[in-house]
Every structure is written in structure tokens, then in C-alpha cells.
Amino acid sequence: MASRTQQGTEAARSPTACYRELSQFPAVTGAALGAATGAQSFQLYTECSRPDLPRRRLLRFSRHYSLHRTGNGGLTVSRAALSAEINNQLLSRDSPTGQHRAVLSRCPRQGHELLEVWGSSGRSHSVDLTALGKHGEVYTEGPFACLAWSHSETRLLYVAEKSRPKRWAPCAWDVPGAARPPEEVEDEEDKEQFVYHEDWGEALSTRSVPVLCALDLESSSLSVLEGIPEHLSPGQALWSPGDSGVVFVGWWHEPFRLGLNACSNRRSGIFYLDLSSRSCELLSAEHRAAFSPRLSPDGRRLLYLEGGVGGPHRQCLCLRMLTWQTRQTLMVLDVVQEPTEAFAGLFTEVLPLQCWAADSRRAVLGTPQRSRTDLLLVDTEAATVTNLTAGSPEGCWELLTLQWDLLVATCSAPHHPPSLVVTVLPPAGQELPLRWVPVEDTPIVPGVTWKTLTVRPPCSGQTAAVHSECPGVPDVPGCCLGARDTRDGGYQGRGPGVGGSERHPFPGTQAFEALLLSPPDSMAPHPLVVCPHGGPHAVFDARWRPGMAALCWLGFAVLLVNYRGSLGFGQASISSLLSRVGEQDVADTQLAVEQVLHSEPLDPNRLALLAGSHGAFIALHLLTREPKRYRACALRSPVSNLPALLGTSDIPDWRYTSLGLPYSFERVPRAEEVATMLLRSPIAQAARVQTPVLLCVGARDRRVSPTQALELYRVLRARGVPVRLLWYPQGGHALAGVEMEADVFKNCAQWLLQHMGLP
């Protein structure tokens, strides 16, 4: 692959060729370990995917490896088999011992969903779930989905859509006296044919009423579990100790459902359903958002994430632990208001399925830490955090599984596609440094360099500062952080207000960061593409993004801006954006641009904007405030008219929260509030836009209505501004999918090249 990549940097200069070349690196989407013969040998199974552009679909395949633990605590790795394509598989999960694998697949002919169990002797069970007719479609992804083995490995637990009877609706134009089947004789239920059924919003439009289902492998019987209160939607289920009941997350859906995708602030709780008595017990606190339960190997402790209800859709979370026998909960890590050098808080929305160490005391999870995603080891008894990957050259680490104290993870960087690595977790207190062993190593992509820039907004009477992150060099001019080397740093974390008493590394004001990706210096000064992220409470971490690397191959430098309000910088940073959207986020982005132009070999006369959703909202504001500064702009699913989203978005509460206004389910907008929203909207100043704008929208977007872009398109076109609108009939908010993503990149890149004057 290295030789092909080298050829790509030298010869392939079209957007399509660059994207095709750089998107071929596979992503590891899942991993499982199984014990082989001997206590020190293991089998590693991985599932991978990459775009198959010629066939316009996602290519999924498996890889197998053999791991052997050596006497000195090391590992040796060897490939056990050739890669094999995965077809029609929707979901899979290995049993606790690794001796069985449950696979949910779809039969290509009938479209039926089959749940099968495979072992060393082949397939042992196959159940046609569709033919049984006890529920609708099985949930295979999203916040509700799960596939869980019982500890006895005799039962499987999953979530599916509640079965809804399909009835023939009589029509006024039916022929009188026409024969109808007896089961279709008109009754009261026929009147329910066109009743509206709520769903869970963007990316969950087919998810309305989830139910928990249990398959008994010994009797081949399937049951929909009863006893769950009607006001709850269950998901993320697992078997309780002893298999006597089920632990699940229940989301309140009364009086109506709000969008759940990328929203960890919805009221939810951890529940226990006793299968014999059908009683349902709330294990977590009332009026909180609790989710992602993980049971320790010894069955004594339950770890889960918890956050506040309402407010920002994504927040800094706390980590709680429940002792199963006593039902007592303990705060392991509280919300961090201000980040320290050692710990910035928890911002992940899901814990790894296998995150516990064998001692049932320590757990490993991945979370944004400023502009990185690191692996953190949490000692649940001492309430301490150790960053296992701080200081590594890779900026994004993701844990795939932790079994028998073997860590399997991927790591990547803006110039380094994901690599698969493994390590042995040492005993408590001896974790650092970890010795990672490459399993599948990918080459560094030539023609792309990157660095992290720290930006501190100016205090009163001070000049703002920006610098490249320089760990171990505390006297960098203008450096507000000094050295940021946390490889040996730990964090003491139990109790309320954790982090507030720690030293604040940003004296005087909250700092933020940006990632700068650059082509070779020989091409300087580089034109700059500015990218504020969407969300707004999200983050650009230093991971591999083939589209951004392709822009560097095309000759652009790329600035990924993590303005104040981004994840990974403490809760105070997130809260600082409330009531300041359209102001603070826009000013931060422009500040990052101005300062990077002074410190890097960039062309100030060739600037462009590339963003989506709330990032597009920021970009549009920049076009109205700097009408002649940016030469091109390409936007995906843009937010342009805030009050228009009140009745069209699946998250109407955010419209109020973003402006610092309270929200309640029964609330209707007031005239002064609508006026405030309109004044904060780019559409109000659209007459100032002079920059050529490309708009890409999905017709099925439930979060930001595509009519936002259509309204903006008409306004710009009427004023003679060069504008183009791409309308994707099957697209949602993320414009996801192999063909759609490739087409969006190609058109955006061509638009930037055309209007920036590049060949």
C-alpha cells in the first residue's frame, strides 16, 4: 500500500482519485478474543470495513490472528487465516467463554432475519425470527441495540421493534359487496390504520417502540419480556448475575419523544427486571440520564455513565458504580468543570462492551481529552485515572475489547490510518508504560503533516496567543499551557466538584485548540480550508480522516477548529457557549484563523470554509461578517434559520437551550424569543454574503430540515451570488453512505478548487 500511496501523492491530483486512494485503508469495527489451547494462547477475531467505491457499497470482512503470551509479559502475534468477506450479517456477539458466536443475519431472498449460533463444530442453532412474528425488525445499531449472552450461554437477549398488526384499510371507493377475508372485516382497529406513531428522530426514524426479547437456545423458544413500564423504551440490555433477570436502560418517552441520536441528555435510568416476578426496579437516580451499564467479571459491580437531563445535548459525564448485592451506588468520577493536565473529564456516550480488567476493580475506556481521544484506566476503588496513551504520536485511540487482561485497540492520526494493536494489562500500579504490539500496522501517508495549536482568547488588555503544542518545552513563547506531558500523570477523582480544586491550566480565560493539517512545505504558502465542527458540542480529535488528507494532497492546508463549547475541555467550556451561539463560536473560529495566518506559511488571500450542521451555521456567520475574506464555501446540512427549526427539528429543545432560554415540553415560542433566534441566524444577514456557496443536503434530514438550505439557496441566487444546491433524496443529516460520502467530497473539493483558483 505504501507504494500506491506514494504514487497517489505524485500523480493522482483529481479529487476523485485522491479520495479513492485514501479511503482504501480499512477501519476495524469490532474485535473478540477466544481462549485457544493452553492458558497463554488466544484467538483474535476482528471485523473490518472500507468503502468499495466501484460497487458503491461498504465492504465488510473478517481477519483472524493467534496471540501468545510470553514469559516476560510480552506478546507474539501471527495471522491465522486469510481475510474473508462478511455477507448479510447484521450483528454478532461471542459468548463469555468464546466458544460460541451468535450471528444475526438477513436472508437475501425472503428478507427474513435469522439468529444463528456457531461453534467449533459448525452451526448449532438457527431461528427464523421474522417467521415467528413475535416482534418487528431487530435493532442492530444505535442507542437501543444489543445482543447479549446469558452467563450460562443458553439464552440470548436483544431489542426489536414492537409488533404492530397490519390491517387492510377500507376505502370509500371500494366496490359494494366485494368479498373480504374474514380476518380483514372492518372493526374498531381499522380506524388505527393512519394514526401517527412517534419515532426517536434523526437516524432512528424506524425506531418507535422497542421491546426486549429473549431466545432460549435449549428449548428454541422466543419470548417478548413483560413487566417493563409502558412509559419506558428499553435498550442496552444485559443479563444480571445468576441470569435471574435483565439489566437495561429505560428512556422516558412521555409526553413525547425528543431526538435521541447524539443526545446523551435525555431522561433515562438503569433498571432491573426480575424474570420470575416481572417486577421492575430503578437502580440509578431519578431525573437523571443514566446509560451504558457494564457488569464486572465477578458479577459484583455495575459500572455506568450518568449525566444531567436537559441543557447541552452532549455534556461532561460522571462515572458511577453500583454494588449489586447492596444496591448502593458510588461516585467514581464526577463531572470536571475545569480540565487539568492529567484529566479533562468523561465525554464518551458509550463504554466498551468489554471494559473491565480481570480483577473486577479496574476499567479501561476511551474519551476525548482536548483534541485527542485517549485510553484511560480507572481504578474504581481508589477513584483514580491514569492516561494510558497520553504523549503517544497517535491522536486517537479506541478500545475494541479487554478480555483476560489483553487490550485490543486501534490508533490513528491525521496522517496515519488506523492500526490494530494489542498489549497485556500489567498488575495494578504497574500499568505504565504499556508495550503495544502491532497486529496490522498501516504506513504513514506521505504528503500530510499535522500539529495541535492552542488558542487563548484575549483577556481584557491582553493579546491573544497561539502556539504549536510542544510537550516538554515549557518556555514556548506565548504558550498558555506550557509543557503538556501527561505520560506519568494520574488523577484523583472521587467526590463532588472534582476538577474544580485542581490547578487551572488556562489562567485568566478558557483556551481552545485547533488541528492544522498541511501539505509539503515546498508547496507553501498554502491555501487554507477552515473547518469548524458541528454539534456544536462535539470535537475534532486527531484521528485519521481520508477526506481531510485528500484535501492536503490537493494542495490545501486544513484547520479543524475546536472552539469553546467543544467536548474534551471540561464542562465549563461546554456551558460557556450557551446563550452565545452565533457569537462566541464565530469569534473563536475567526480568532484561530487570524492567529494561524500569522504563525504558519499560509496564503491569507486564499481562504475557504468547509463545514456541516452547526459548523455551517458558524461558516455562514463568517461570510456575513467577512464578506470579502473567504473565496469559497462548501456546506453540508447547514443551519441558517433558527426559529424555522422549532417546528421541523427532532430536537426543538436545543433552539431554546442554545440561547440560554428554559425549555419545557408544553412550551410554545413567544414573539420576543423568535425575534432573538432570528437575529442570531445567518439568514437575517444573508444580503451581505458575496462568497460562492455550495450546499449539500439530505431530503430525509430530521435534525436540520433541508428547507433551511433551500431558503438560503433562493436568497443567494436572487442576489446573484454563485450558489449550487445538491439534493440527496435518501440522505439524512450526516449524508452517510459510501456513494453519498464520495459524491459530497468530490463536489466540495471541486467547488473549492474552482473558486480558489487552483488547478
Side-chain angles (χ1 to χ4, degrees), residues 115 129 135 138 146-148 156-160 211-215 222:
L115 186 53
L129 301 179
H135 57 71
V138 177
C146 67
L147 181 58
L156 287 166
L157 185 66
Y158 61 91
V159 178
V211 292
L212 294 182
C213 307
L215 175 64
L222 175 65

Side-chain angles (χ1 to χ4, degrees), residues 467-477 479 481-485:
H467 71 277
S468 300
E469 181 184 88
C470 304
V473 187
D475 57 345
V476 176
C479 178
L481 287 178
R484 180 139 71 84
D485 190 342

